Amino acid sequence: MAQLHSRLIWFILLAMLFFVGFLYWQTQQTNGTNRSRVADVAVKTAKVESLAMSREVSALGTGIANNSIQLIAPSSEFLIELNVSEGKKVEQGEVIARLNNVQQRARVAELDAVLMEQSRQLDRLKNLATTQAAAQSLLDEQQSKVNSTKAQLDIARQQLTEMTIKAPFTGHLGLRQVSQGAYVSGGTVITTLDDMQQLRVAFSIAERYLAEVAVGMPISVTNVAYGNIKFQGKVSAIDTRLDPITRSVTIHGIIDNESLQLRPGMLLNVQLQLENREVLRISEKALLPQQNRQYVFIVDSENKVQQKEIEVGQRIPGWVEVISGLREGDEIVIEGVQKLRTGVTISKVGG
């Protein structure tokens, strides 16, 4: 009986020893699995590169013709000639319209004849003035008449010239407002003329950017009619005054528009490029902010990561400038930083 109890005790001890060994083995397997998982953290990495980084200011602008006028009738008369085809390009000096100028031509001819006769009389009085002192007063009077007639003739010739309406610059005609043969009053708009080979764009920016903007800086504009197509130009003028209510300054840009795709009056989305320089640039997703500091994870040759503090500078959507803490060519984690800690081995997904 004692021998049976002894064997039973040894059997229980061996069973307990086996059970403890099994528990230890299972614990080691679990720890090994966890370590494997830690060593197999999938992240995305990228190299630190030196790239161009520009800072831009966005604004809404309005298209303005480089030169734009209304062609109007200078006086009340019948319109005897009209050369207006809507949208037609005309050259500088080309005749657009003529008003009935019969009376003006007659007036010029009349004054020309009067001036000729008065000039002959003036010449005779000049000859008399050399021999008779009394003739000097008559000479002065005749000289005044000649001067007066010359002035009247200049005015009449100018009025005659204005009866023919010409294009003062090369441009495109707008819509016709009158018909040939119509009697028009002085000041009646005949049509418009726009120089659209270059389009000006007027937009405003906040006063805090005033010290940075300068004539010649590049701009680009887009319009809903053309989707994402960008039209390039540059700043041509900066207003000398700020709006006292909005505290903004008006900027004019000039854009080449030979295709005539852009039109005066268009609403334009303007991007003003303030600066463009080479910097070390990384994705914003690589940053791990802690209080007022910024950190990134650097990948070493063994695919282990180390947390490192960096100093950041200018930001643009999606990107941030690195002032210090990284060098060109360093490999950093740009996706999955929240899963990491120093010393962890990573598995790269993409790059």
Side-chain angles (χ1 to χ4, degrees):
M1 189 69 178
Q3 188 176 5
L4 179 61
H5 285 160
S6 177
R7 289 179 177 177
L8 182 60
I9 291 172
W10 279 106
F11 177 77
I12 292 172
L13 289 175
L14 288 173
M16 291 179 64
L17 183 63
F18 177 78
F19 181 70
V20 170
F22 174 76
L23 290 178
Y24 177 77
W25 175 81
Q26 191 176 38
T27 301
Q28 293 299 315
Q29 288 293 103
T30 302
N31 290 339
T33 301
N34 289 339
R35 284 196 297 270
S36 176
R37 286 177 181 172
V38 171
D40 199 26
V41 177
V43 297
K44 186 175 180 180
T45 66
K47 298 283 188 179
V48 178
E49 296 179 309
S50 178
L51 298 171
M53 188 172 186
S54 62
R55 190 157 64 93
E56 296 182 337
V57 177
S58 300
L60 291 177
T62 301
I64 306 172
N66 191 35
N67 290 299
S68 180
I69 62 167
Q70 290 181 324
L71 296 173
I72 63 174
S75 59
S76 300
E77 255 307 343
F78 285 99
L79 194 60
I80 62 174
E81 183 180 343
L82 185 61
N83 303 314
V84 175
S85 296
E86 286 89 347
K88 175 188 174 184
K89 182 180 180 180
V90 294
E91 300 296 329
Q92 181 178 4
E94 190 170 334
V95 175
I96 306 300
R98 294 183 195 273
L99 297 177
N100 183 17
N101 59 5
V102 174
Q103 291 184 355
Q104 291 300 327
R105 284 191 286 112
R107 177 63 175 163
V108 169
E110 177 186 3
L111 289 173
D112 200 24
V114 170
L115 179 61
M116 188 178 298
E117 178 59 28
Q118 288 177 344
S119 297
R120 282 198 297 266
Q121 292 181 17
L122 181 61
D123 290 338
R124 287 196 298 268
L125 288 173
K126 285 180 179 179
N127 293 330
L128 290 174
T130 58
T131 58
Q132 300 180 23
Q136 184 61 46
S137 61
L138 295 176
L139 178 61
D140 294 340
E141 181 181 352
Q142 188 64 27
Q143 183 65 61
S144 296
K145 290 180 180 180
V146 169
N147 292 342
S148 176
T149 303
K150 282 183 177 180
Q152 294 178 55
L153 181 59
D154 289 341
I155 294 173
R157 284 174 174 166
Q158 179 62 33
Q159 291 175 340
L160 177 61
T161 301
E162 292 175 352
M163 304 301 278
T164 300
I165 301 170
K166 298 180 180 180
F169 54 82
T170 299
H172 289 77
L173 296 173
L175 299 178
R176 176 169 56 86
Q177 303 297 323
V178 293
S179 299
Q180 183 169 333
Y183 183 84
V184 295
S185 302
T188 299
V189 177
I190 297 173
T191 187
T192 58
L193 180 64
D194 295 314
D195 175 12
M196 299 186 297
Q197 294 296 113
Q198 288 185 314
L199 189 83
R200 286 187 296 157
V201 54
F203 61 98
S204 297
I205 61 173
E207 65 176 329
R208 67 176 178 271
Y209 299 116
L210 183 59
E212 301 178 65
V213 68
V215 173
M217 280 186 167
I219 63 171
S220 63
V221 303
T222 58
N223 178 265
V224 293
Y226 302 108
N228 295 324
I229 297 177
K230 290 187 176 182
F231 300 88
Q232 305 297 328
K234 61 183 180 181
V235 173
S236 60
I238 304 170
D239 199 352
T240 56
R241 299 183 179 184
L242 273 71
D243 188 313
I245 298 176
T246 62
R247 304 300 178 189
S248 60
V249 61
T250 299
I251 308 293
H252 276 195
I254 194 77
I255 300 168
D256 287 332
N257 189 39
E258 293 183 2
S259 62
L260 304 182
Q261 289 177 287
L262 301 177
R263 299 298 179 93
M266 271 186 167
L267 179 65
L268 302 172
N269 299 301
V270 183
Q271 294 289 329
L272 169 62
Q273 184 176 299
L274 294 178
E275 60 180 346
N276 189 8
R277 55 195 175 92
E278 290 285 325
V279 298
L280 288 180
R281 195 176 77 171
I282 63 173
S283 170
E284 278 187 330
K285 294 183 290 186
L287 296 178
L288 185 66
Q290 295 181 8
Q291 296 181 348
N292 295 327
R293 298 180 176 181
Q294 299 289 344
Y295 296 86
V296 296
F297 281 103
I298 298 181
V299 183
D300 63 17
S301 59
E302 297 179 353
N303 284 340
K304 292 184 177 181
V305 296
Q306 179 182 1
Q307 184 174 305
K308 186 171 185 182
E309 182 181 357
I310 64 170
E311 182 182 358
V312 300
Q314 170 187 331
R315 292 174 183 257
I316 60 174
W319 301 96
V320 62
E321 174 190 4
V322 178
I323 296 177
S324 64
L326 292 175
R327 295 176 299 178
E328 187 173 4
D330 285 344
E331 187 176 12
I332 62 172
V333 177
I334 61 171
E335 288 186 15
V337 294
Q338 301 297 336
K339 302 180 290 184
L340 300 179
R341 65 176 184 272
T342 296
V344 169
T345 302
I346 63 167
S347 173
K348 300 177 186 178
V349 178

